[in-house]
Amino acid sequence: MTVIKQDDVIQSVADALQYISYYHPLDFIQAINAAYEKEESQAAKDAMAQILINSRMCAEGHRPICQDTGIVTVFVKVGMNVQWDATMSLDDMINEGVRRAYLNPDNVLRASILRDPAGKRQNTKDNTPAVIHYEIVSGDQVDITVAAKGGGSENKSKMAMLNPSDSIVDWVLKTVPTMGAGWCPPGMLGIGIGGTAEKAMLLAKESLMDPVDIQELIARGAQNRVEELRLELYEKVNALGIGAQGLGGLTTVVDIKIKDYPTHAASLPVAIIPNCAATRHVHFHLDGSGAAEFTPPKLEDWPQVTWDSSSARRVNLDTITHDEIKTWKMGETLLLSGTMYTGRDAAHKRMVEMIAKGEPLPVDLKGKFIYYVGPVDPVRDEVVGPAGPTTATRMDKFTETVLGATGLFGMIGKSERGVTGIEAIKKHEAAYLMAVGGAAYLVSKAIRKAKVVGFADLGMEAIYEFVVEDMPVSVAVDVYGNSVHDTAPKIWQAKIGKIPVV
């Protein structure tokens, strides 16, 4: 009979989370590289180049792929013949592993988990607790899959109770465009079908733990209805033309994963959960012989990709004028140098409250740009840890007030802006610039200085002053309210020509 030791569980979980923070699954990065090589949209190709370069840098430097180091999700299969040498519950063992991983001084991971979610939303400081799912199975081992799921992709999850006669394909094709680009495509879509509402969501999440194998399936052909659905949806979702980062292109998904379960005769539950360009998961088993070991992948297996920025326009943020911003073209690549400020949800909420009370803000935003980011803490000689953008639409409701009251010139984030945000940008002749989600370590290398200048109590959501050099961004919304996320996918959907443009 197998005896599993408490310390082996804790160490294995901690090591797994460190491992996936800087190593993409190799099958996923190879799929991204294949998409990069065939991509015809230059904007999407540039975005994937940054993702691939970032991935290799993280593998070499052992620093997080994305500043959002995720909410930890764990799938545990416990053999019925297992015994435990432990004083802690299995939940507590797993959470102690999470705590050690996220507080590791050699590779600090960002703590993003808040207790009291409907109230004070206080950071737990160590990214606990994890979300844990258990199965009791036959055997004498413990199998564990550990994933770190970013908030941007998790927020785009969708679920519907369809009628039994409804088309799953039609629902997916109608739903995916409503998800925007905040889930940082190209990635994977996990789809759960059947069971009950909560079972469908769990199936969708669990399916994302499977390997990328759509090309093998295409080569051999479908052998059942689920595989037929995977193939049909893979072709049709990519035909939507959404592309990398929503910039329009040939590849939106590198795989479609589906799990199903028997359901009630009156029901057809269907759920979609996307995995982003920072896909992170690993599987291991414990058999009583000690903690799990994680073999580093070979760096020579990473693609050697370069990104040519020679055609980009260089911008000095310290001397920029409004007239200069008016010359920027939608989709144009800029390299930013100079001073900018940061601010996410909590900082924006507080700023708007202060503006309403007539109180001075901790920084003067006139003529400046604000970067929607919550960076990872620095280690060793870093000025800041990985610092990629967060989803910009969450700040839309604050945009009119902040632009109108401060004289801010523009904002930097990831994905599209909503109608409210675009209207405010057009009204104040500001601009919205997009950095690549999933390239956080690469972006951080452009940050030469960083210091907290406001709302220090908000932790990673504090206002920082960054001094940057050649930080790459694209013009996503120009001063006239034109949005690349509105126009580019339609252009590429028409080019691909398999789904009519509405």
Side-chain angles (χ1 to χ4, degrees):
M1 187 170 286
T2 300
V3 177
I4 305 297
K5 295 180 180 179
Q6 173 175 298
D7 287 347
D8 290 345
V9 175
I10 293 170
Q11 191 62 52
S12 298
V13 170
D15 290 348
L17 287 165
Q18 279 286 311
Y19 183 90
I20 65 176
S21 76
Y22 43 74
Y23 289 135
H24 266 116
L26 190 56
D27 58 349
F28 180 78
I29 209 65
Q30 289 172 339
I32 295 290
N33 186 55
Y36 165 79
E37 289 180 347
K38 74 175 186 180
E39 185 56 68
E40 297 173 12
S41 162
Q42 192 58 53
K45 196 174 184 74
D46 288 348
M48 284 191 279
Q50 291 186 50
I51 290 168
L52 290 167
I53 293 167
N54 181 77
S55 179
R56 185 180 182 89
M57 289 173 62
C58 294
E60 292 173 337
H62 286 193
R63 290 296 273 143
I65 296 165
C66 181
Q67 80 288 340
D68 183 351
T69 50
I71 183 169
V72 178
T73 304
V74 184
F75 294 91
V76 187
K77 295 181 179 179
V78 180
M80 293 177 67
N81 296 326
V82 165
Q83 287 189 335
W84 298 93
D85 179 6
T87 58
M88 301 168 70
S89 70
L90 187 48
D91 266 27
D92 288 345
M93 291 183 232
I94 291 170
N95 282 319
E96 179 58 27
V98 173
R99 184 174 293 109
R100 292 185 187 181
Y102 278 73
L103 298 179
N104 186 321
D106 291 328
N107 181 39
V108 178
L109 306 180
R110 195 184 81 183
S112 302
I113 304 308
L114 310 179
R115 65 168 63 90
D116 191 14
K120 294 183 179 179
R121 296 179 65 84
Q122 294 175 321
N123 199 302
T124 63
K125 306 295 186 182
D126 57 14
N127 223 60
T128 63
V131 176
I132 308 171
H133 305 285
Y134 290 104
E135 288 183 61
I136 304 299
V137 299
S138 62
D140 59 359
Q141 297 187 359
V142 176
D143 285 281
I144 299 179
T145 299
V146 174
K149 191 68 161 60
S153 60
E154 189 71 3
N155 288 347
K156 300 301 181 179
S157 303
K158 304 291 182 182
M159 193 270 162
M161 299 299 291
L162 302 183
N163 293 318
S165 60
D166 290 343
S167 166
I168 294 171
V169 171
D170 288 350
W171 179 76
V172 172
L173 294 179
K174 180 180 70 174
T175 301
V176 169
T178 70
M179 291 159 54
W183 59 281
C184 289
M188 299 160 62
L189 292 183
I191 299 176
I193 303 171
T196 53
E198 81 282 2
K199 181 66 174 178
M201 293 297 289
L202 185 58
L203 290 167
K205 178 65 68 65
E206 195 171 9
S207 76
L208 291 170
M209 306 300 112
D210 289 345
V212 178
D213 64 356
I214 195 72
Q215 298 305 322
E216 290 89 335
L217 178 56
I218 291 171
R220 70 167 171 80
Q223 297 176 352
N224 53 53
R225 179 55 182 151
V226 163
E227 291 183 346
E228 290 173 355
L229 272 175
R230 286 183 63 198
L231 292 175
E232 183 177 1
L233 286 170
Y234 175 75
E235 179 183 37
K236 290 183 175 179
V237 169
N238 282 324
L240 292 171
I242 295 167
Q245 305 291 304
L247 294 170
L250 299 179
T251 300
T252 302
V253 292
V254 297
D255 204 344
I256 299 282
K257 315 304 294 188
I258 300 177
K259 285 186 179 293
D260 66 355
Y261 194 84
T263 193
H264 192 283
S267 302
L268 182 56
V270 184
I272 298 176
I273 301 180
N275 242 8
C276 63
T279 288
R280 295 163 294 201
H281 58 82
V282 70
H283 171 261
F284 61 90
H285 69 272
L286 300 175
D287 59 9
S289 62
E293 295 183 3
F294 301 93
T295 303
K298 297 177 181 178
L299 284 176
E300 54 264 35
D301 291 334
W302 258 254
Q304 292 282 359
V305 174
T306 58
W307 178 58
D308 182 9
S309 62
S310 60
S311 62
R313 186 196 303 217
R314 282 183 157 78
V315 174
N316 186 334
L317 294 174
D318 296 326
T319 61
I320 191 170
T321 65
H322 196 246
D323 286 340
E324 183 181 350
I325 294 172
K326 288 181 178 179
T327 68
W328 293 350
K329 305 297 183 184
M330 181 182 59
E332 182 179 9
T333 300
L334 310 177
L335 294 175
L336 306 180
S337 296
T339 305
M340 65 174 64
Y341 294 106
T342 76
R344 285 171 44 109
D345 311 61
H348 274 75
K349 183 175 184 291
R350 191 174 292 182
M351 284 193 295
V352 167
E353 290 171 347
M354 293 174 72
I355 289 168
K357 296 176 183 177
E359 298 174 355
L361 300 182
V363 292
D364 183 3
L365 296 177
K366 186 175 182 180
K368 294 296 182 182
F369 277 75
I370 196 164
Y371 182 27
Y372 301 150
V373 61
V376 177
D377 288 341
V379 298
R380 296 180 287 280
D381 59 348
E382 293 177 343
V383 299
V384 70
T390 197
T391 307
T393 47
R394 298 201 313 271
M395 266 52 73
D396 279 354
K397 64 182 180 180
F398 306 117
T399 302
E400 167 60 33
T401 299
V402 173
L403 287 177
T406 68
L408 186 74
F409 271 179
M411 302 134 288
I412 307 161
K414 77 170 185 182
S415 77
E416 72 284 351
R417 301 306 297 258
V419 173
T420 301
I422 291 174
E423 287 177 349
I425 291 167
K426 181 179 180 180
K427 175 182 174 182
H428 296 282
E429 295 186 324
Y432 167 60
L433 311 176
M434 193 199 78
V436 172
Y441 194 39
L442 176 64
V443 171
S444 73
K445 294 304 180 184
I447 303 169
R448 304 305 188 206
K449 297 179 182 179
K451 63 179 179 180
V452 174
V453 292
F455 307 154
D457 61 299
L458 295 180
M460 64 93 176
E461 294 210 61
I463 296 177
Y464 287 76
E465 181 183 271
F466 284 172
V467 177
V468 302
E469 182 178 343
D470 289 345
M471 175 178 165
V473 295
S474 299
V475 180
V477 181
D478 63 21
V479 297
Y480 308 104
N482 300 310
S483 170
V484 70
H485 291 99
D486 289 339
T487 59
K490 293 176 183 177
I491 291 170
W492 281 92
Q493 185 174 334
K495 285 185 178 182
I496 296 168
K498 293 182 179 179
I499 296 177
V501 180
V502 179

